[in-house]
Structure formats: structure tokens, C-alpha cells
Amino acid sequence: MGEKMAIWRTKKPATKHKIVSDLRKAGIEKGDTIIFHASMSKADWICGGPVTVILALQELVGETGNIVMPAQTGQLTDPSKWENPPVPESWWKIIRAETPPFDPFVTPTRGMGVIAETFRAIPDVARSFHPYHSFCAWGKDKENILSKQPLAKSMGDESPLGKLYQLEAKIILFGVDNNNNTSLHLAEERSNVFPLTENQAAFLKNGEIIWEKYQEIDYNSEAFIALGRAYEKERNFHPTTIIGAPTKIYDMRDLVDFGTNYFQTKNH
């Protein structure tokens, strides 16, 4: 129904030129570093679909800019924590023993949308190594952005999000809201108010699947909608529309700094 609905509400098919034009008017420029979150289901019908969106972003930022998209892999997490949907406890041991661990070249994204999954497979797009919270990047700084992502604090200052903060990235929420805004996990980390919880991840060592335990905060995007509303009210921020999709473009540093203070205030 998604594509059918897009056709019904579209007066004129969206093109790469139109996407470039709309985003340029919204403030995206050559040389920008962007982190992009998207739901094509909210946009007009696009000639070429997700490939056209990615080509438009590449044309916009150019070879001196960078494009980053989250490439998370929730299907590889410990099955005992699965809720959407859960699986029987009798399955847990089999799943842990038989599921192939994360491979940055092979493992598909989960819940990231068709644009992010298409982006992952494009030549010249690289991917960070993290069993759950990897990122994909294209552009002049991609190796620096993706290098040495830690297992714990996977969305902290040493992660790709921390590198994007330093590069003064712009966040683009295309057809999605702040509950999909991965950058706000950096604010969670920086606030230092959330307790650690035990996590574990699978790695392939000497041909054998080994589960390694580590401590990390329990990342949770449930508060991000309220955070975003508070930020927009404080900054008198108004969304725009890009080829029919409601779109929000934020200064990452400003939003993360606001979010860090927001969490510290709310949790004390």
C-alpha cells in the first residue's frame, strides 16, 4: 500500500533535481556533513526511488562533504531481550549458537528503511564495525568517521556520532521524527545520568561464535519526541517539506548540547 498511497497523493513525480533543489533551499550546502534518517512512505512518488535520493544527497554535499546513515542490526542482539516480537526461551540457546555474527560487508540493516539499506550496498560507502550500532558513510572523511567504534559507549564521543559532532554535522529527518534521531543517543551518553546495564554480543573467533559481555547504558529513544518538542519550542524551530515529506533539519551540535542538558535536568 505504501507505493500506491504515494502515487495517489503525488501530483508530479519527484526527481533528483527536485530533491536537490528542495534541500538546497532548506540549507544543505556543498561540503556539508549530514546524518540522514528517512521514511520514503511519507514522500511523494520518486523516479528511481531510494537510489535517486542517495544520488541527490551526493550531488548536494559533493566530494568535500560526507553522508552518514545508521546501519543498526537489532536482529543480532541477545534473543533474551527481544520484545518486538519476542521468541520462546527454548530458542535462545539455538539462536546464540547458530546466528552468523556481524559482518560489515554482508549483514543487512534492520528497521533502518529502504534508503539506508540501499546506501549500505553502494560502492564507495564504508561501514563501521559494531555488532549492533554500526554506521555507513560516504565522503571525504568517511574513514575517520567510522574508525575504531568502541563496543561499549558505541554511541558516545569515540563513536561515529562523536566524530559527526566534531565535524559540525547537520541532522536530516526526512519523513520521520526524533524517535528515529540516532544522534540523540550521544546526548544520552554525555548526560552521565543513565545507569549501566549488562549487554553481550557475538563475535567469530577461530571459527567459533563467542559471546562477549560488556557494560553499556540501555539506549532508549522513547523520550526523544518530548526532547525534540522542547528544543523546537526553545529555538522557535519550524519543519519544512521536502518532496511532500515533513522534514526537520537540525544543527547537530546545538541539538545534542540541548539534549544533554535536557536529560541532566530531567533526571535530577
Side-chain angles (χ1 to χ4, degrees):
M1 282 297 291
E3 186 173 13
K4 185 180 290 186
M5 290 295 293
I7 292 169
W8 285 346
R9 65 172 175 262
T10 300
K11 294 180 180 179
K12 182 180 179 181
T15 63
K16 184 180 80 166
H17 175 79
K18 176 63 173 169
I19 298 169
V20 169
S21 175
D22 281 3
L23 283 170
R24 193 167 281 150
K25 289 175 184 175
I28 304 300
E29 303 171 345
K30 284 272 195 230
D32 277 348
T33 294
I34 62 172
I35 177 166
F36 188 78
H37 305 265
S39 172
M40 276 187 58
S41 66
K42 301 294 192 297
D44 291 342
W45 192 88
I46 304 167
C47 298
V51 173
T52 295
V53 175
I54 294 163
L55 291 174
L57 296 176
Q58 290 175 326
E59 181 176 322
L60 266 167
V61 305
E63 294 182 356
T64 58
N66 301 288
I67 302 166
V68 176
M69 298 188 199
Q72 295 177 22
T73 47
Q75 71 272 29
L76 300 184
T77 55
D78 184 353
S80 68
K81 295 187 176 184
W82 291 358
E83 296 178 351
N84 206 10
V87 293
E89 185 174 349
S90 60
W91 293 13
W92 295 353
K93 184 177 180 180
I94 300 170
I95 291 170
R96 289 176 184 137
E98 299 295 336
T99 300
F102 176 74
D103 182 332
F105 302 105
V106 175
T107 308
T109 61
R110 177 179 171 86
M112 299 290 101
V114 66
I115 296 175
E117 177 59 16
T118 303
F119 184 67
R120 177 186 71 82
I122 286 180
D124 296 329
V125 168
R127 190 178 191 181
S128 66
F129 190 94
H130 193 278
Y132 307 143
H133 301 143
S134 67
F135 291 80
C136 288
W138 174 93
K140 98 179 158 60
D141 300 304
K142 67 182 181 183
E143 300 300 336
N144 173 56
I145 292 169
L146 301 176
S147 66
K148 299 179 180 178
Q149 183 176 5
L151 177 60
K153 292 186 177 293
S154 58
M155 293 201 253
D157 280 307
E158 301 304 315
S159 76
L161 293 179
K163 313 281 184 60
L164 291 173
Y165 182 94
Q166 295 301 325
L167 289 169
E168 301 182 350
K170 295 175 180 176
I171 300 166
I172 302 177
L173 304 181
F174 175 75
V176 297
D177 208 340
N178 279 294
N179 55 321
N180 293 103
N181 190 349
T182 306
S183 297
L184 289 174
H185 291 303
L186 179 59
E188 282 185 296
E189 282 282 5
R190 288 184 160 196
S191 68
N192 292 315
V193 296
F194 297 101
L196 296 177
T197 184
E198 185 172 272
N199 204 349
Q200 60 177 343
F203 296 91
L204 192 64
K205 296 183 179 180
N206 300 319
E208 186 179 356
I209 296 174
I210 303 296
W211 283 81
E212 182 177 329
K213 293 182 179 180
Y214 63 100
Q215 298 284 317
E216 186 168 59
I217 66 172
D218 187 11
Y219 294 119
N220 189 341
S221 60
E222 287 183 4
F224 291 179
I225 292 288
L227 190 166
R229 287 174 180 160
Y231 174 83
E232 290 166 6
K233 183 178 180 180
E234 179 79 18
R235 298 290 189 267
N236 193 29
F237 174 91
H238 299 285
T240 186
T241 301
I242 307 295
I243 59 165
T247 300
K248 299 180 178 185
I249 299 176
Y250 300 122
D251 176 291
M252 180 181 179
R253 279 194 174 193
D254 190 47
L255 179 61
V256 168
D257 289 347
F258 180 93
T260 301
N261 182 68
Y262 177 91
F263 286 130
Q264 290 171 339
T265 302
K266 288 284 185 182
N267 289 274
H268 276 97

